[in-house]
Amino acid sequence: MTDLTALKYTAEHEWVALDGDTATVGITSYAADKLGDVVFVELPAVGSTVTAATVVGEIESTKSVGELYAPLTGEVIEVNDAVVDDPSLVNADPFGAGWLVKLTVDPAAVAELLDRDAYISLTGSAE
């Protein structure tokens, strides 16, 4: 089980787990629940550079289409092909097997993101 208090969050409902200068990114269970059953995920290409707060992908569900924002500026070093092949992983395990991309980032930039308490205050939900 992922320690949700160790993660950082964005107001666009992404979570970030930092390991050195590698940030693993996914969407929160709150966002996954609001989207409904995810049926398609489009992720940025490995090797591409992404800029914080810009759209880098798309998550389509049976209810709507959501945009995936880069939580930080960096280079995409890995995408979760398992999620592309089976988008339901986003709903089934958003903080684990449903991760979306890994970025090389400036670790200091993570401090600007929301902590767990701030994210809960934003959404009004503990999930």
Side-chain angles (χ1 to χ4, degrees):
M1 175 101 188
T2 302
D3 178 6
L4 301 181
T5 61
L7 303 177
K8 293 290 191 172
Y9 301 87
T10 70
E12 290 76 29
H13 309 292
E14 285 93 15
W15 58 262
V16 176
L18 188 66
D19 182 12
D21 65 352
T22 300
T24 302
V25 178
I27 66 168
T28 65
S29 58
Y30 175 85
D33 288 346
K34 293 295 182 192
L35 280 169
D37 295 334
V38 175
V39 295
F40 176 77
V41 175
E42 179 184 316
L43 300 174
V46 172
S48 62
T49 300
V50 297
T51 303
T54 61
V55 175
V56 297
E58 191 173 278
I59 300 173
E60 185 176 329
S61 72
T62 55
K63 290 182 180 176
S64 66
V65 176
E67 296 174 322
L68 175 65
Y69 291 87
L72 300 162
T73 297
E75 180 182 349
V76 178
I77 58 171
E78 188 176 349
V79 297
N80 188 351
D81 290 328
V83 164
V84 174
D85 294 340
D86 181 7
S88 70
L89 288 172
V90 173
N91 296 107
D93 191 11
F95 295 105
W99 66 273
L100 299 174
V101 297
K102 292 187 180 185
L103 308 172
T104 299
V105 299
D106 174 359
V110 176
E112 298 176 17
L113 299 177
L114 303 172
D115 64 16
R116 182 84 180 141
D117 289 340
Y119 184 71
I120 288 171
S121 294
L122 176 74
T123 62
S125 171
E127 291 296 319

